[in-house]
């Protein structure tokens, strides 16, 4: 059943004036939810805290699609992305629906778990206000769990069963693409052609990249497990850039969906005849770990201190480690490796995990 009930009588003012009315409610696929408050917003997206009839709380993401098929397709792609992974480190989708608005546009609703502990940016903000910082061992343990979640994306395996075309994209790099098929089939399995001659048994590896890893997109579960969220920018990791037009399109996409202070330098100036891959997430991980330790992304800190252009600082890899708080060189080496400007020399996620585990051995 569609979402047929309008949110009381204020469908168009609901986003900015939710507190002006009695508690509104809506229905998603025959289930009723009461909207409690706005949790956050950005662009055409809004996230609300909602409560089910049994008292359980959820996060409801509302995505307005005012630009027709293109914006709707992006929202539907986000829904598909939530269904790909099954791991405690990556947020799972609970329900979704698409509604036709009075003006002819569509709105997508995505029901997600609610994390009472908030996200890592909340923790960073609290540390900044309280002049506190993470203990190094605690930060390494947390970062290790974040990296394990990223590894699930980068090493994603699919069943060897039709639907996905593969082709070479440079030296031993595979790009995967589907012809006019959704990311998921009715059974929740991503189709793929047989590739047993290329990869070990257990299915084909189809790497995915999150493309917008940052503290605000990492929630904390009740047990303290970091959970990657906001998969709107998630896509197959390896993209062969075959033309200048495609390069410019990828740059525009990154500018819109990948947060600038955590964005890899190769996304600022995408080169023709290059291959974008999982390395963009490794860079973002380095920025995220730096922010955990020093309460700011490395390039925002550099820009604020020197007055330099943020984008130029990122492209040139210009940053420095603050004198305080004090952390060991092994911890800093993890960040240095992740923030290697040339993606060809950046470590993969397995190497990052090994480096973090090695740094933990000193405690």
């Amino acid at each position: 059943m569609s979402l047929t009930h309008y949110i009381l009588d204020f469908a168009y003012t609901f986003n900015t004036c939710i507190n002006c009315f009695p508690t509104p409610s809506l229905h998603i696929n025959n289930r009723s939810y009461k909207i409690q408050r706005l949790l956050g917003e950005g662009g055409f997206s809004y996230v609300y805290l909602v409560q089910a009839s049994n008292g359980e709380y959820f996060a409801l993401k509302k995505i307005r699609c005012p630009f027709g098929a293109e914006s709707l397709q992006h929202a539907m792609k986000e829904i598909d992305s939530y269904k790909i992974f099954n791991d405690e480190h990556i947020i799972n989708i609970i329900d979704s629906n698409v509604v036709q608005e009075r003006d002819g546009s569509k709105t997508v609703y995505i029901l997600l778990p609610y994390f009472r502990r908030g996200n890592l940016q909340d923790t960073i903000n609290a540390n900044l206000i309280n002049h506190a910082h993470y203990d190094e061992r605690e930060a390494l343990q947390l970062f290790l769990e974040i990296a394990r979640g990223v590894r699930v994306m980068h090493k994603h395996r699919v069943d060897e069963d039709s639907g996905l075309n593969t082709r070479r994209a440079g030296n031993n790099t595979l790009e995967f693409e589907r012809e006019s098929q959704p990311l998921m089939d009715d059974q929740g399995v991503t189709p793929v052609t047989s590739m047993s001659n290329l990869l070990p048994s257990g299915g084909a590896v189809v790497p995915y990249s999150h493309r917008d890893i940052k503290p605000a997109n990492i929630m904390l579960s009740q047990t303290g497990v970091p959970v990657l969220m906001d998969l709107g920018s998630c896509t197959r990791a390896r993209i062969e850039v075959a033309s200048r037009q495609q390069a410019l399109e990828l740059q525009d996409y990154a500018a819109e969906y990948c947060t600038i202070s955590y964005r890899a330098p190769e996304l600022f100036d995408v080169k023709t005849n290059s291959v974008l891959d999982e390395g963009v997430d490794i860079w973002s991980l380095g920025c995220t770990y730096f922010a955990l330790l020093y309460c700011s992304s490395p390039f925002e800190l550099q820009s604020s201190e020197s007055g330099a252009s943020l984008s130029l600082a990122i492209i040139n890899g210009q940053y420095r480690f603050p004198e305080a708080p004090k952390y060991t060189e092994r911890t800093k080496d993890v960040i240095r490796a992740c923030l290697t400007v040339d993606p060809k020399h950046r470590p993969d996620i397995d190497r990052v995990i090994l480096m973090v585990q090695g740094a933990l051995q000193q405690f």
Side-chain angles (χ1 to χ4, degrees):
M1 176 180 177
S2 281
L3 180 98
T4 54
H5 293 78
Y6 290 108
I7 305 170
L8 295 181
D9 230 3
F10 57 97
Y12 297 101
T13 57
F14 164 62
N15 301 315
T16 56
C17 202
I18 188 170
N19 294 322
C20 303
F21 297 88
T23 303
S25 63
L26 54 80
H27 289 77
I28 299 179
N29 298 325
N30 289 331
R31 294 186 178 183
S32 177
Y33 301 91
K34 288 186 177 181
I35 298 170
Q36 304 296 313
R37 60 186 172 92
L38 180 69
L39 294 174
E41 61 181 288
F44 293 98
S45 298
Y46 306 84
V47 180
Y48 300 99
L49 175 65
V50 300
Q51 187 177 27
S53 56
N54 63 0
E56 189 174 0
Y57 287 96
F58 299 94
L60 178 69
K61 185 171 185 177
K62 174 182 178 180
I63 307 174
R64 293 180 56 240
C65 305
F67 303 121
E70 183 178 351
S71 52
L72 178 61
Q73 182 180 14
H74 181 80
M76 298 307 293
K77 175 179 169 289
E78 179 172 348
I79 291 175
D80 287 335
S81 294
Y82 287 117
K83 298 176 183 177
I84 295 172
F85 311 104
N86 181 21
D87 187 87
E88 65 172 342
H89 297 92
I90 302 175
I91 196 167
N92 62 292
I93 189 171
I94 295 168
D95 206 348
S96 64
N97 215 332
V98 181
V99 108
Q100 179 91 28
E101 300 290 3
R102 292 174 179 174
D103 62 358
S105 67
K106 287 185 170 60
T107 300
V108 175
Y109 292 89
I110 304 175
L111 193 68
L112 299 164
Y114 171 58
F115 295 90
R116 294 178 182 273
R117 294 183 60 175
N119 58 49
L120 286 185
Q121 189 60 55
D122 297 329
T123 304
I124 289 170
N125 293 343
N127 283 346
L128 193 60
I129 292 170
N130 298 322
H131 303 287
H133 63 272
Y134 269 104
D135 169 77
E136 185 170 351
R137 186 177 186 279
E138 181 186 8
L140 281 166
Q141 288 281 12
L142 181 59
F143 184 65
L144 179 60
E145 291 304 310
I146 296 169
R148 284 172 173 161
V150 174
R151 189 184 188 280
V152 171
M153 290 187 168
H154 289 190
K155 305 294 182 179
H156 177 64
R157 285 186 177 272
V158 295
D159 292 341
E160 298 181 357
D161 240 354
S162 72
L164 202 69
N165 294 327
T166 66
R167 60 187 175 92
R168 291 286 172 185
N171 295 330
N172 299 320
T173 304
L174 290 172
E175 181 183 4
F176 302 84
E177 59 184 0
R178 193 184 319 280
E179 290 184 330
S180 303
Q181 294 187 13
L183 287 176
M184 306 295 293
D185 66 9
D186 291 339
Q187 286 72 44
V189 176
T190 308
V192 61
T193 52
S194 178
M195 298 174 64
S196 57
N197 59 323
L198 296 175
L199 296 157
S201 60
V205 174
V206 182
Y208 278 78
S209 285
H210 184 286
R211 296 269 172 100
D212 197 24
I213 295 171
K214 59 182 179 179
N217 282 342
I218 302 172
M219 309 303 291
L220 287 172
S221 74
Q222 283 300 102
T223 57
V225 175
V227 181
L228 291 167
M229 62 161 288
D230 197 351
L231 304 188
S233 57
C234 181
T235 183
R236 290 195 180 94
R238 298 172 186 177
I239 301 174
E240 181 182 2
V241 186
S243 67
R244 184 58 184 160
Q245 179 182 350
Q246 186 184 9
L248 293 174
E249 288 173 353
L250 286 166
Q251 280 180 211
D252 290 344
Y253 184 90
E256 184 172 359
Y257 295 108
C258 308
T259 305
I260 185 171
S261 51
Y262 294 84
R263 191 188 312 161
E266 59 266 30
L267 294 176
F268 284 83
D269 182 19
V270 180
K271 305 294 186 184
T272 306
N273 298 321
S274 65
V275 176
L276 296 177
D277 61 17
E278 305 94 306
V280 298
D281 284 348
I282 302 299
W283 178 277
S284 300
L285 277 175
C287 295
T288 297
Y289 190 34
F290 188 103
L292 281 178
L293 300 178
Y294 301 108
C295 297
S296 171
S297 71
F299 304 102
E300 283 179 310
L301 185 63
Q302 177 74 16
S303 179
S304 64
E305 289 181 346
S306 67
S309 160
L310 178 59
S311 57
L312 284 178
I314 294 168
I315 291 169
N316 295 314
Q318 294 177 341
Y319 69 97
R320 70 169 189 85
F321 290 102
E323 292 185 6
K326 297 287 187 182
Y327 294 109
T328 67
E329 288 301 311
R330 294 196 73 172
T331 277
K332 293 178 183 178
D333 284 342
V334 174
I335 295 172
R336 291 186 184 107
C338 291
L339 298 185
T340 301
V341 172
D342 187 345
K344 296 186 182 69
H345 298 142
R346 224 173 278 155
D348 65 8
I349 192 62
D350 287 329
R351 179 61 185 161
V352 171
I353 288 173
L354 284 174
M355 291 183 71
V356 175
Q357 290 171 333
L360 277 166
Q361 289 177 358
Q362 64 188 321
F363 297 100

